[in-house]
Amino acid sequence: MRNPTEGQSQSAAADIVTAPQHWSQNRRDFLRILSSGALAATLGPLAGCSSSHAASRAEELRALLLADERFWADVNAMFPLNPAKRFMNIGTAGAMPKIALDLFDSENRAKAFDSLSGYTNLLTERTEVAPGFGIDPDELAFSANTSSGMCHAILGIGWNPGDVVVTTNHEHPGGNVPLAIAEARYGIQIERVALPVGNNQTAQTYVTLFDDRIRALRTQGKRVRAMMFSAPTYKTGTMLPIADLMEVAKRHELISIVDGAHLPGMMAYHYADLGMDFMSGAGHKWQCGPGSTGILVVRNKIRASNPLPLPNWYPIHTSSWAPQARTTNGTATYDIGSVITSCGSLHTPMFHSLVSACKLWDQVGRKKIETYDLTLSAYLKERICEVWGTDRLYSPKDDPKLVSALTSFNPFVKAGDVVNSAKSNEFVARMLSDYSPGFVIRNVNVPVVGAPSDHYVVRISTHLWSSVDDIDKLVAAMFDLSKKMG
Ligand SMILES: Cc1ncc(COP(=O)(O)O)c(C=O)c1O
């Protein structure tokens, strides 16, 4: 990681425009290396992580990353990050690029200078960013963050007592709390599938878990109305396979709600193609917009990707609404993104900075960023495998449908210490205080099927400003600390 200067930042902007054009080959190479991992997994323990095959996978990923090192060094220089630290907790908070920060600052001052208000539905801004997410502007609302988007989605649905929502045991309070409010207020019932951890799972595991539970509930006479799940989860970073789970939702005619806190800025998804009813994402995490920003995708017309009727839904946080029927065809009856975004006077500099970060992502290339983030993460996972063993990974690594840029694992010499939350906290604190550079990571509690108590694993986010060198130093520091802590 380099210490950015003004000059580097300008040359970085120039380099983005003249960037190498081999990214789809990078993507193909990344997928090929991952599928060699899946093959190794099916061959069993003989082809495990300690084998030379696994070592070569790490080396292949490393070579792929190093080939574009200069490009990503230039991207890194666009962020005014503290060079004394390596920031690897983007799943909690990102950092604004300089271009967005400068805009935020100048607009904030202009707003104060002229005592400006912010009465707007931000249509121009939504029109600028919506194509990057593969949707129309009416299908995109700006929210306050993921949690606020989940409240918009869940608390706006016209629930009936006894409606069942099928969700998971790895959800974040941002989704769990509005579900609990709907349970207390409207009498919905919450059913949770217990999620697996580790590498021994595939996308089909999730299809079976949800499909079996929905069928069983229906057999009991329950009125299953919705599916809600995180993709990826904040605990193990497992990317629940949205496209496959949407097939389950459509088969059972369910409302689909995705807690996509980590999706904007990490994954280059086209939401019109996925067709979920709601996807609530953060603007301030991987998308690197300001705090208190979120991107909420709402299905607002019938597309081939999801022919189900639009759910019965009312806004719960707006100052701009009139009763209007939802469409039954491919043309929206009203701009739902405007209704959700408009709520009194908005802090426009904040949203303009989010737009500026989104435009930077579009310029660099969302697919390039996704491929880089996932390749860094795959490299880290392979290195963890080599040093600690595959059984220490709580994130899957071999099914390309399940991977994200979050990596959770158990670093302790004695594997059983993973239930010790104080030791886990100490590990995270010392990764920052005892090393130079210090590493900003976090830990998270994971309910594990069959375990009497939660496991406290460490979680690492690998984003566009990190390098191979950062990952190598991180792994060395984590290994050193795990030995020191015994
Ligand atoms: C899966 C998930 N959902 C929701 C949230 C809450 O995010 P926000 O702060 O954007 O509301 C987080 C935060 O880490 C998360 O990981």
Side-chain angles (χ1 to χ4, degrees), residues 282-296:
H284 64 96
K285 297 183 192 284
W286 302 80
Q287 186 55 73
C288 295
S292 299
T293 59
I295 286 168
L296 177 62

Side-chain angles (χ1 to χ4, degrees), residues 29-44 46-65 199 375 378-383 385-386 390 393 397-399:
D29 288 344
F30 166 68
L31 290 172
R32 176 181 53 74
I33 298 167
L34 235 61
S35 56
S36 79
L39 179 66
T42 60
L43 295 177
L46 285 177
C49 278
S50 56
S51 73
S52 58
H53 182 87
S56 76
R57 231 181 305 149
E59 284 311 312
E60 276 192 277
L61 290 162
R62 192 168 200 279
L64 204 56
L65 291 163
N199 189 41
T375 309
Y379 175 58
L380 171 62
K381 284 169 174 126
E382 292 301 334
R383 290 292 294 127
C385 242
E386 288 174 0
T390 326
L393 268 183
K397 71 179 181 70
D398 287 337
D399 184 338

Side-chain angles (χ1 to χ4, degrees), residues 161-173:
D163 284 348
V164 176
V165 179
V166 180
T167 185
T168 85
N169 66 336
H170 283 187
E171 297 307 315
H172 187 276

Side-chain angles (χ1 to χ4, degrees), residues 98-350:
K98 196 166 176 302
I99 194 167
L101 208 51
D102 288 347
L103 185 76
F104 188 78
D105 187 44
S106 62
E107 285 209 10
N108 234 345
R109 288 176 185 284
K111 184 169 159 48
F113 192 67
D114 273 321
S115 189
L116 300 174
S117 73
Y119 291 98
T120 168
N121 65 7
L122 295 173
L123 176 59
T124 309
E125 293 78 0
R126 288 184 291 120
T127 304
E128 284 181 287
V129 303
F133 297 100
I135 45 177
D136 294 335
D138 63 291
E139 296 162 309
L140 188 146
F142 290 126
S143 60
N145 48 38
T146 318
S147 308
S148 114
M150 292 301 283
C151 288
H152 282 293
I154 293 169
L155 299 176
I157 292 168
W159 299 109
N160 302 307
D163 284 348
V164 176
V165 179
V166 180
T167 185
T168 85
N169 66 336
H170 283 187
E171 297 307 315
H172 187 276
N176 275 334
V177 170
L179 277 183
I181 296 170
E183 183 181 39
R185 184 165 186 186
Y186 304 110
I188 67 163
Q189 290 175 24
I190 303 164
E191 290 284 338
R192 296 184 191 274
V193 296
L195 298 188
V197 303
N199 189 41
N200 188 18
Q201 47 175 310
T202 66
Q204 185 57 38
T205 311
Y206 292 87
V207 171
T208 307
L209 276 173
F210 275 92
D211 199 66
D212 285 358
R213 178 64 70 87
I214 293 161
R215 285 178 201 278
L217 288 163
R218 290 233 162 117
T219 305
Q220 293 163 28
K222 302 267 190 188
R223 196 173 53 249
V224 182
R225 250 192 101 197
M227 275 169 66
M228 189 279 261
F229 57 88
S230 293
T233 72
Y234 81 107
K235 292 183 183 295
T236 61
T238 307
M239 182 63 72
L240 269 63
I242 300 177
D244 302 66
L245 290 176
M246 280 307 298
E247 293 307 313
V248 178
K250 286 184 277 183
R251 189 180 313 139
H252 296 288
E253 302 187 353
L254 302 179
I255 299 169
S256 41
I257 308 162
V258 178
D259 176 341
H262 306 272
L263 294 181
M266 180 209 283
M267 303 301 286
Y269 287 163
H270 279 224
Y271 295 98
D273 296 343
L274 289 168
M276 70 278 282
D277 287 301
F278 302 95
M279 188 294 292
S280 179
H284 64 96
K285 297 183 192 284
W286 302 80
Q287 186 55 73
C288 295
S292 299
T293 59
I295 286 168
L296 177 62
V297 175
V298 186
R299 191 163 69 100
N300 197 38
K301 62 197 74 164
I302 310 296
R303 295 178 184 273
S305 58
N306 187 351
L308 295 178
L310 298 178
N312 180 20
W313 180 91
Y314 295 90
I316 45 113
H317 183 268
T318 185
S319 56
S320 171
W321 182 73
Q324 288 160 100
R326 303 204 70 189
T327 186
T328 55
N329 58 44
T331 308
T333 44
Y334 67 101
D335 180 351
I336 202 166
S338 163
V339 168
I340 296 171
T341 302
S342 309
C343 194
S345 182
L346 303 177
H347 188 58
T348 47
M350 189 174 78

